Amino acid sequence: MDIKYFFSTLKSLIALKSVSSDINCKDQILKSAEWLKNYFITNGYSSKLYQLAEANPLVFAESKVSDMAKTVLIYGHYDVAAADDQSGWISDPFTLTERENKLYARGIADDKGQFFIHLSAISKLITEKNLKVNVKIILEGNEEVENPHFEDFIKTHKQLLAADLVLISDGPGVGGLPTIEASLRAGFDLTLIYKTTNTPLHIGIYGGGIPNAAHEMMLILSKLINENNEIKIPGFYNDVDIVKVNEKESCLKLVPNESVFIKSLGLKALLLKPGNSFYLQTGLQPTIQVTGFKSGHIDDGYGATVPNLAEVKIDVQLVKSQQPEKIISLIKDFIKAETPTYISYDLSISDSGIPVKVDISKPIFVKIQKLIKAAYGKEAYIRYVGGSIPVVAVFQKILNTEPLVLSLANEDSNEHGPNENLNIDIINKAFKFSYLFFSSEVF
Amino acid sequence: MDIKYFFSTLKSLIALKSVSSDINCKDQILKSAEWLKNYFITNGYSSKLYQLAEANPLVFAESKVSDMAKTVLIYGHYDVAAADDQSGWISDPFTLTERENKLYARGIADDKGQFFIHLSAISKLITEKNLKVNVKIILEGNEEVENPHFEDFIKTHKQLLAADLVLISDGPGVGGLPTIEASLRAGFDLTLIYKTTNTPLHIGIYGGGIPNAAHEMMLILSKLINENNEIKIPGFYNDVDIVKVNEKESCLKLVPNESVFIKSLGLKALLLKPGNSFYLQTGLQPTIQVTGFKSGHIDDGYGATVPNLAEVKIDVQLVKSQQPEKIISLIKDFIKAETPTYISYDLSISDSGIPVKVDISKPIFVKIQKLIKAAYGKEAYIRYVGGSIPVVAVFQKILNTEPLVLSLANEDSNEHGPNENLNIDIINKAFKFSYLFFSSEVF
């Protein structure tokens, strides 16, 4: 690709401070959406802005090859994180700057630069009349903040967005190579409150003779999760998707040196079920983790009462094939069965996300790996991610479309931090991949 | 006793607002000490005030019969709790008022009225030349607040305070009868902090693959204390004083109806080791209780990280024959053995108190019960108390003197609350007992 063209074109989009968390940037947000619509129309796409109530405009664009061709939907976001603390920046965050083979600016990696690599490849193919797949593009302006309307928009625009594959390029790759995020855990949070009586009672006079809410809570938690982080709820693992040999191998590749990895996290050890690697356990196995616990006197000094209340907050991450509703039901049964009758309890549960896993042995992923090898000289890393990217699950749930989450940025792109950057070699290789992808019959 | 004389004499001491927590009452505190010294001298005792640095004066008085007679040391306190919220009081808190067979005022039960019952009896016996035991009296002005100097005073005045028995009348009895507090647990507090790394890590990405400080803490705690509140530290119960048959019986008498008792505490159940009664377990068995626990995100909403820190505060109550130093050493060994090597921990321990138990089958207690029966028509309840009264342990430790903690007040005397009161029948019976006690050869 002509990096000068990439630089000069993107520079004006980067200059628009589309910080979605900052109400003062509303004008720049709207200008960004207009900029993108104009870009699409100028480059041979059809394009339209969708104004959502209480959210920033969605930019939609399309370039159709034929009714017979497969369709790829690209999702990206044109809003960026704030860059308030400019003290860490060597150059102005909103002035695209080239320095030592890198482009620096807020949004260059997250996500303006990444989606613009695909746009550059597709625009070139439109000009060359060599586009082989129908392309749809949806660019959001609320990714860095909550967008309560995006899911509704997808629901009401199923036909508009219908596609065979959703391509999302966001986040960093590993070791100069892109990564395919082949799975994403998702789940829900819960709060469990134990109550023994209305007031705490004197620790000396009553301690040891009456239930202690902190003890009772820790006893049930110790039955819930064992020393290996294994969950003891009957049936919890029943539906977990079986981990394939190639998935196990992909997980191992991501941690070539475990002791270096442990040190990099500031830990003394991982806590893995014997036989599991880190990414296998965190990416392909469900987990239940306490994220908060409080009971009794938690300030300085010592309280002199038996705690009558204990509250635990728990995060549940599920993997493919686990149904949140079923797991919630198992958890409710477990708490009911294991809570002594002298305890009153209250359980509240947050909305649940849906875990995602794709089968990377499918022909399309095999072809994509070949194209990546052609562009980068090596195949992409496959990553099984413990966390969730809600939009992926939303696309899969509503559109029933296979997701390809392909993180293109360099590992040190420092998204959300100062001196966010994209390596120019990475841009060139990613462009090469994208050009090959949209000019091939990958399906 | 002539209750009119009791009322008219005590009225002027009650009127002095000796609230030790209120710096504005300093003058009334000093006047109270002077009042007491004058009372003693007027009534045939020798008396002296001891001015302590940073504490209110100690009033000492003595009435000696002979070198051959045994000596009883009475401990009491002339300071009182605040009565700031006067809205609950029917009459002025500092005006001694008679109403429906009760005397009402702040301090009438805690503790001016209770020690004055003994003073009235002894004064009468001095006048009648019928006192049979040497009497020493020490009245403190800092019982309701901390008195860092009282223990030092006892240490440096061992000869002055030397006695065969320390008599303390404070707190309420049970069901219109006095209670003998035959044991007091005591111990220490500890704080244990677990740390896995310097920062919390993303719950989705790392959850289930790394140690979670909250989980680790709850796992060790679940090994420390089981469902019956039994302590699993090896050797913890080794030195516990064996509970005698008469002690078991005394404990049972205090809870004639367990379900009523449970309801009165707002509980649905007690948590007793099978075979133990409430007072046997809380008064004569040691216990380890969590009084506070915090880890991770404890505010509203949900945190999204694996907690790297967990802090637990624990109260340890010991019983007679257990040595705090030995128990601390067992706890340290347990924590070291049960904490995984990938956890850093910090343990801090407060100063420890000393548990007290008296043998109520000794002749002196048998004689005291006879005198109580003569005065009240029934023997005193024997109570084995879970909490500590530090002064009792201090007297026992430094003076090596048997304590007689005899709570004389009616159960509904409402100490520290509004309308604190003493029942006139109780005063008369308690006076009768005290008169018998100091005119008998009880030793």
Side-chain angles (χ1 to χ4, degrees):
Chain A
M1 161 164 71
D2 183 353
I3 193 75
K4 284 201 175 72
Y5 170 79
F6 182 87
F7 184 96
S8 62
T9 312
L10 191 56
K11 193 176 172 71
S12 54
L13 180 61
I14 289 282
L16 296 169
K17 295 185 185 179
S18 54
V19 180
S20 51
S21 63
D22 185 350
I23 190 73
N24 296 319
C25 294
K26 193 76 186 173
D27 178 52
Q28 305 278 300
I29 289 267
L30 299 177
K31 280 186 181 164
S32 300
E34 286 292 341
W35 187 101
L36 286 161
K37 185 184 160 195
N38 290 339
Y39 171 86
F40 286 124
I41 289 168
T42 309
N43 284 276
Y45 307 72
S46 65
S47 184
K48 187 179 171 184
L49 299 189
Y50 288 86
Q51 303 289 349
L52 304 182
E54 300 168 60
N56 296 322
L58 289 169
V59 185
F60 179 79
E62 189 167 9
S63 180
K64 192 169 179 178
V65 175
S66 80
D67 284 338
M68 304 298 291
K70 297 285 185 178
T71 302
V72 172
L73 173 66
I74 296 173
Y75 164 85
H77 64 94
Y78 65 85
D79 63 325
V80 296
D84 290 340
D85 179 13
Q86 299 199 8
S87 63
W89 287 83
I90 291 175
S91 49
D92 174 62
F94 296 98
T95 303
L96 187 61
T97 306
E98 185 182 339
R99 199 163 64 238
E100 292 167 357
N101 202 37
K102 280 183 165 183
L103 301 188
Y104 288 88
R106 170 58 81 233
I108 183 66
D110 181 17
D111 183 46
K112 289 173 177 173
Q114 289 210 51
F115 72 67
F116 201 65
I117 291 171
H118 294 306
L119 266 47
S120 302
I122 295 160
S123 298
K124 193 168 195 292
L125 288 166
I126 291 172
T127 308
E128 296 171 1
K129 295 189 169 28
N130 205 17
L131 192 64
K132 286 288 189 298
V133 291
N134 299 323
V135 173
K136 291 176 176 179
I137 300 159
I138 185 89
L139 301 174
E140 194 191 347
N142 288 75
E143 198 266 355
E144 302 289 1
V145 291
E146 212 179 343
N147 186 351
H149 304 285
F150 189 56
E151 187 168 341
D152 282 345
F153 177 83
I154 296 174
K155 274 182 191 158
T156 52
H157 294 80
K158 280 189 192 179
Q159 195 53 44
L160 181 77
L161 301 171
D164 299 288
L165 187 81
V166 178
L167 171 61
I168 300 170
S169 287
D170 200 350
V174 174
L177 290 170
T179 64
I180 295 172
E181 304 206 330
S183 74
L184 297 161
R185 295 196 296 191
F188 50 88
D189 288 285
L190 65 87
T191 300
L192 176 63
I193 296 173
Y194 265 18
K195 186 176 174 179
T196 54
T197 179
N198 288 325
T199 50
L201 290 167
H202 190 289
I203 191 72
I205 297 174
Y206 300 103
I210 63 169
N212 175 320
H215 292 204
E216 298 293 337
M217 186 65 93
M218 116 210 142
L219 284 168
I220 190 172
L221 293 176
S222 71
K223 290 175 191 166
L224 177 63
I225 310 151
N226 74 7
E227 281 91 342
N228 291 329
N229 278 341
E230 288 171 299
I231 295 128
K232 309 310 285 178
I233 296 173
F236 186 83
Y237 291 102
N238 279 3
D239 298 332
V240 170
D241 213 39
I242 290 165
V243 179
K244 300 190 188 77
V245 173
N246 65 341
E247 292 169 344
K248 280 189 184 175
E249 287 167 354
S250 295
C251 290
L252 279 175
K253 279 182 195 163
L254 285 164
V255 184
N257 186 326
E258 204 173 73
S259 68
V260 169
F261 180 69
I262 290 166
K263 268 194 188 166
S264 75
L265 294 175
L267 295 168
K268 292 185 181 169
L270 300 175
L271 191 55
L272 306 175
K273 190 177 162 183
N276 278 7
S277 69
F278 179 78
Y279 280 97
L280 192 153
Q281 182 147 333
T282 58
L284 294 170
Q285 291 292 309
T287 196
I288 290 187
Q289 290 282 303
V290 170
T291 55
F293 191 141
K294 71 174 168 186
S295 184
H297 178 87
I298 54 174
D299 300 325
D300 285 348
Y302 292 104
T305 51
V306 179
N308 65 320
L309 288 169
E311 178 176 335
V312 67
K313 291 168 192 281
I314 289 177
D315 174 90
V316 181
Q317 297 283 341
L318 305 179
V319 294
K320 192 187 165 191
S321 301
Q322 288 187 297
Q323 300 299 320
E325 301 70 29
K326 194 171 166 187
I327 296 296
I328 288 169
S329 171
L330 292 176
I331 290 174
K332 283 182 176 172
D333 290 348
F334 177 85
I335 292 171
K336 194 174 179 184
E338 296 293 341
T339 300
T341 53
Y342 50 77
I343 300 285
S344 308
Y345 71 87
D346 182 69
L347 176 66
S348 55
I349 299 173
S350 72
D351 285 345
S352 58
I354 293 168
V356 170
K357 180 166 120 178
V358 298
D359 180 359
I360 53 144
S361 66
K362 277 188 180 174
I364 180 161
F365 288 100
V366 175
K367 284 184 190 169
I368 287 166
Q369 281 285 37
K370 277 187 189 166
L371 298 181
I372 286 170
K373 197 170 182 185
Y376 291 84
K378 280 188 178 175
E379 289 190 349
Y381 281 104
I382 309 293
R383 188 157 55 187
Y384 298 91
V385 181
S388 55
I389 306 178
V391 71
V392 176
V394 168
F395 281 123
Q396 201 184 46
K397 184 175 72 175
I398 302 170
L399 301 180
N400 194 27
T401 307
E402 191 95 76
L404 168 60
V405 182
L406 186 70
S407 305
L408 298 172
N410 32 296
E411 219 162 349
D412 60 351
S413 54
N414 211 23
E415 303 176 14
H416 291 207
N419 303 313
E420 180 178 344
N421 66 83
L422 261 190
N423 182 296
I424 290 174
D425 289 345
I426 296 277
I427 296 172
N428 281 321
K429 286 173 182 167
F431 175 83
K432 193 171 171 187
F433 160 76
S434 189
Y435 185 87
L436 288 171
F437 180 84
F438 288 104
S439 60
S440 312
E441 281 167 358
V442 284
F443 291 91
Chain B
M1 165 165 67
D2 183 353
I3 193 75
K4 285 200 176 74
Y5 170 79
F6 183 87
F7 184 96
S8 62
T9 312
L10 191 56
K11 192 176 172 72
S12 54
L13 179 62
I14 289 283
L16 296 169
K17 296 185 185 178
S18 55
V19 179
S20 51
S21 64
D22 186 349
I23 189 74
N24 296 320
C25 294
K26 193 76 184 172
D27 178 51
Q28 304 279 298
I29 289 268
L30 300 178
K31 280 186 182 166
S32 301
E34 288 292 341
W35 187 100
L36 286 160
K37 186 184 161 196
N38 289 340
Y39 170 85
F40 286 124
I41 290 169
T42 309
N43 285 277
Y45 307 72
S46 64
S47 184
K48 188 179 171 183
L49 298 189
Y50 289 86
Q51 303 288 350
L52 304 181
E54 300 167 59
N56 297 321
L58 290 170
V59 185
F60 178 78
E62 188 169 10
S63 180
K64 194 170 176 177
V65 176
S66 80
D67 284 340
M68 303 299 291
K70 298 284 186 179
T71 302
V72 172
L73 173 67
I74 296 174
Y75 164 85
H77 64 94
Y78 65 86
D79 64 324
V80 297
D84 291 340
D85 180 12
Q86 299 198 8
S87 62
W89 287 85
I90 290 174
S91 48
D92 174 63
F94 295 98
T95 304
L96 187 61
T97 306
E98 185 182 341
R99 200 162 63 237
E100 292 166 356
N101 201 37
K102 281 182 165 182
L103 301 188
Y104 288 88
R106 169 59 81 235
I108 183 66
D110 180 17
D111 184 43
K112 290 172 178 173
Q114 290 209 51
F115 72 67
F116 201 65
I117 291 170
H118 294 306
L119 267 47
S120 302
I122 295 160
S123 299
K124 194 167 191 293
L125 287 166
I126 292 172
T127 310
E128 295 169 2
K129 295 189 169 29
N130 205 18
L131 191 63
K132 287 287 189 298
V133 291
N134 299 322
V135 173
K136 292 177 177 178
I137 300 159
I138 185 88
L139 301 173
E140 194 192 346
N142 289 74
E143 198 267 356
E144 303 289 0
V145 292
E146 212 178 342
N147 186 351
H149 305 286
F150 189 55
E151 188 168 340
D152 281 344
F153 178 83
I154 297 174
K155 274 184 191 157
T156 51
H157 293 80
K158 279 188 191 178
Q159 197 53 45
L160 181 78
L161 301 171
D164 300 287
L165 188 81
V166 179
L167 171 60
I168 300 170
S169 287
D170 200 349
V174 174
L177 290 169
T179 64
I180 295 172
E181 305 208 330
S183 75
L184 297 161
R185 294 196 298 191
F188 49 88
D189 287 285
L190 65 88
T191 300
L192 177 63
I193 296 173
Y194 265 19
K195 185 176 174 180
T196 55
T197 180
N198 288 324
T199 50
L201 290 166
H202 190 290
I203 191 72
I205 296 174
Y206 299 101
I210 63 171
N212 176 319
H215 291 204
E216 298 294 338
M217 186 65 93
M218 114 210 144
L219 284 168
I220 191 173
L221 293 176
S222 71
K223 289 174 192 166
L224 177 63
I225 310 151
N226 74 5
E227 282 91 341
N228 291 330
N229 279 341
E230 287 170 299
I231 295 127
K232 309 309 286 178
I233 297 173
F236 185 84
Y237 292 101
N238 280 2
D239 299 331
V240 170
D241 212 41
I242 290 165
V243 180
K244 300 189 187 76
V245 172
N246 66 339
E247 292 170 343
K248 281 190 184 176
E249 285 166 356
S250 295
C251 291
L252 279 173
K253 280 184 196 161
L254 286 164
V255 184
N257 185 326
E258 204 173 72
S259 67
V260 169
F261 180 69
I262 290 166
K263 269 193 189 165
S264 76
L265 295 174
L267 296 167
K268 290 183 182 171
L270 301 176
L271 192 56
L272 307 175
K273 190 176 162 186
N276 278 7
S277 69
F278 179 79
Y279 280 97
L280 193 154
Q281 182 146 334
T282 58
L284 294 170
Q285 290 292 308
T287 196
I288 291 188
Q289 290 281 303
V290 170
T291 56
F293 191 143
K294 70 174 169 186
S295 184
H297 178 89
I298 55 174
D299 300 324
D300 285 347
Y302 292 104
T305 51
V306 179
N308 65 320
L309 288 169
E311 178 177 336
V312 67
K313 291 169 192 280
I314 289 177
D315 174 89
V316 181
Q317 296 284 340
L318 305 178
V319 295
K320 194 187 163 192
S321 302
Q322 289 187 298
Q323 300 300 318
E325 302 70 29
K326 194 170 166 187
I327 296 296
I328 288 169
S329 171
L330 292 176
I331 290 174
K332 283 182 176 172
D333 291 347
F334 176 86
I335 291 170
K336 194 173 179 185
E338 296 292 341
T339 300
T341 52
Y342 51 77
I343 300 285
S344 308
Y345 71 86
D346 182 68
L347 176 66
S348 54
I349 298 174
S350 73
D351 285 345
S352 57
I354 293 168
V356 171
K357 180 166 119 179
V358 298
D359 179 0
I360 53 147
S361 66
K362 277 188 181 173
I364 182 160
F365 288 99
V366 174
K367 284 184 189 167
I368 287 166
Q369 281 285 36
K370 277 186 190 164
L371 298 182
I372 287 169
K373 196 168 181 187
Y376 291 84
K378 279 189 179 176
E379 290 190 348
Y381 281 107
I382 309 293
R383 189 157 55 186
Y384 298 91
V385 181
S388 55
I389 306 178
V391 72
V392 176
V394 168
F395 282 122
Q396 202 184 47
K397 184 176 72 177
I398 302 170
L399 301 181
N400 194 27
T401 307
E402 191 95 74
L404 170 59
V405 183
L406 186 69
S407 304
L408 298 173
N410 33 296
E411 219 161 349
D412 59 352
S413 54
N414 211 24
E415 303 175 13
H416 292 207
N419 304 314
E420 181 178 344
N421 65 85
L422 260 191
N423 182 296
I424 290 174
D425 289 345
I426 296 277
I427 296 172
N428 281 319
K429 286 173 182 166
F431 175 84
K432 192 172 171 188
F433 160 76
S434 189
Y435 185 88
L436 288 170
F437 180 85
F438 289 103
S439 59
S440 312
E441 280 166 0
V442 284
F443 291 91

